[in-house]
Amino acid sequence: MQLHLRGLSKRYPGVAALDTVDLDIASGELIALLGPSGSGKTTLLRVVAGLLSPDTGRVLFGERDATRLSLRERNVGFVFQHYALFRHMTVADNIAFGLRCRPRARRPTRAEIARRVEELLGLIQLPELGGRYPDQLSGGQKQRVALARALAIDPGVLLLDEPFGALDAKVRVELRRWLRKLHERTGQTTLFVTHDQEEALELADRVVVMRQGRIEQVGTPDAIYAAPASAYVFGFVGRGNTLEGSVRDGVFSTRDGAVTLPAPGCEEGDVVALLRPHELQPTDADDAGIVGTVLATRRRADRITVELALGEAAQPFEWDMADLPGVPPPLPGGQLRLQALRARFLPRTA
């Protein structure tokens, strides 16, 4: 099922939840809607589902205009963050619910429903749990059952609203890898909402970064991360340092001269330099492009983040150093020289 969104807008008093959104999704794509709270991602998902009506614009399922159709008429599968399973029903009955609720003329036989439930229990790798109740399952198992229930009706589009938000970190990682494998098996056109950048980059074929009801950038995970269209995308998708300055004669420098970086091919004028903390390395060179004073070090799982004060910059500058045996982090108050392995430059208005 292809999905085409044309000029979608949705306003509430004093705020535009969606502001003229256009998006094309190919059949079989797994698309992540990524953004902070209030960016419009959940509103967009609910408009696609038919749970909200847009003020303007159209929702097309293939060539079919579904803008005014109900959720049932659109035949979409919807998975909520908090599972929304029926506590009084077994796992098997939860999965079968959508099939049993169909009009009599379209309702499968009991034997067909039983076969479909058995097939889906195998697909979600819970073949022995059909007789249990939701309260007897772990959070990850509940979410798998919710996915199976959504898939039972053979939806044209599968919609997931922050499906892993209620799970702990370890289970989230395991379940999203499982979901990616499931998607590769089913080829289901899928649209999922998340505010977790790592989740979006790992799962999606393409990522849609949203901001204040608009689409800021659409691209593959590699393109979004390596070639951000704006400083906003750079800062939201991955950790990063931003420095304002200007480019003259192929060299970037901050206003106070604390940072100078080669900027070959960059147009002259005011720009923002974008630098990832892991794309920096220490140097002893006197002409190091970045010279700062160590403010603090912070331990992370697999690295140490060093915070630096750079000239007049208001925000601390971060460098990620590898956590290697016998290599202690620099002490606060000391001077550190760094060179950039890669830098990106965008016009300051971006």
Side-chain angles (χ1 to χ4, degrees):
M1 174 69 73
Q2 294 180 335
L3 185 61
H4 308 285
L5 311 181
R6 296 286 180 264
L8 291 178
S9 296
K10 182 69 177 180
R11 293 194 64 87
Y12 297 105
V15 63
L18 294 177
D19 189 359
T20 320
V21 170
D22 292 287
L23 181 64
D24 292 304
I25 298 171
S27 179
E29 269 197 301
L30 178 58
I31 299 293
L33 298 178
L34 176 66
S37 298
S39 61
K41 57 189 187 299
T42 296
T43 300
L44 182 58
L45 193 78
R46 290 176 174 268
V47 167
V48 172
L51 297 172
L52 286 175
S53 295
D55 296 332
T56 62
R58 296 192 300 160
V59 177
L60 302 173
F61 283 24
E63 300 300 321
R64 182 189 185 199
D65 191 338
T67 311
R68 302 303 168 191
L69 299 181
S70 68
L71 183 148
R72 175 176 290 186
E73 291 170 321
R74 295 184 194 203
N75 190 41
V76 299
F78 202 103
V79 178
F80 297 90
Q81 177 178 343
H82 294 286
Y83 325 124
L85 298 178
F86 299 111
R87 297 177 62 184
H88 65 287
M89 292 184 182
T90 65
V91 166
D93 288 339
N94 265 282
I95 295 173
F97 180 78
L99 296 174
R100 291 173 176 164
C101 287
R102 282 181 171 174
R104 186 177 298 274
R106 296 177 49 241
R107 189 182 309 157
T109 66
R110 290 184 178 181
E112 289 170 338
I113 291 175
R115 281 195 298 270
R116 180 62 173 157
V117 169
E118 183 178 1
E119 174 190 353
L120 287 167
L121 283 170
L123 187 65
I124 63 173
Q125 300 174 350
L126 299 175
E128 308 299 327
L129 302 187
R132 291 193 184 181
Y133 288 85
D135 287 348
Q136 298 172 309
L137 304 179
S138 68
Q141 290 171 335
K142 289 177 184 178
Q143 198 57 285
R144 291 190 188 202
V145 174
L147 281 163
R149 183 177 61 183
L151 291 169
I153 62 171
D154 292 319
V157 178
L158 181 62
L159 306 174
L160 312 174
D161 189 4
E162 302 212 37
F164 312 130
L167 304 173
D168 64 54
K170 187 175 185 296
V171 175
R172 287 179 69 143
V173 171
E174 293 172 351
L175 198 55
R176 71 189 184 214
R177 290 174 182 170
W178 170 83
L179 179 60
R180 181 67 221 186
K181 291 178 182 177
L182 179 68
H183 174 76
E184 291 168 357
R185 289 183 60 184
T186 64
Q188 184 77 52
T189 304
T190 303
L191 190 61
F192 80 97
V193 161
T194 182
H195 62 270
D196 186 324
Q197 52 182 281
E198 187 175 312
E199 193 168 278
L201 295 177
E202 181 175 348
L203 263 177
D205 296 317
R206 287 190 300 154
V207 178
V208 179
V209 183
M210 298 193 67
R211 179 188 189 189
Q212 297 178 347
R214 296 185 177 184
I215 292 177
E216 190 84 3
Q217 186 175 355
V218 181
T220 65
D222 285 343
I224 291 288
Y225 187 82
S230 67
Y232 170 80
V233 174
F234 174 80
F236 192 78
V237 183
R239 295 166 49 244
N241 301 295
T242 60
L243 297 171
E244 292 190 355
S246 59
V247 172
R248 298 288 183 270
D249 299 324
V251 176
F252 166 85
S253 61
T254 53
R255 185 178 60 180
D256 58 8
V259 176
T260 58
L261 301 168
C266 183
E267 292 187 11
E268 296 200 350
D270 294 337
V271 301
V272 176
L274 312 175
L275 302 102
R276 299 286 187 195
H278 66 277
E279 294 177 340
L280 304 162
Q281 68 179 18
T283 179
D284 294 327
D286 292 336
D287 59 349
I290 304 168
V291 181
T293 302
V294 177
L295 296 175
T297 59
R298 289 183 282 114
R299 161 70 61 182
R300 295 178 182 270
D302 57 351
R303 63 186 184 276
I304 296 172
T305 296
V306 180
E307 292 185 353
L308 303 171
L310 298 184
E312 299 175 358
Q315 298 296 323
F317 186 89
E318 293 188 345
W319 165 52
D320 285 346
M321 66 175 289
D323 186 10
L324 301 174
V327 181
L331 297 175
Q335 194 175 71
L336 186 63
R337 296 171 176 269
L338 299 171
Q339 64 181 19
L341 301 176
R342 178 163 67 167
R344 305 160 182 83
F345 302 97
L346 294 173
R348 191 176 294 182
T349 54

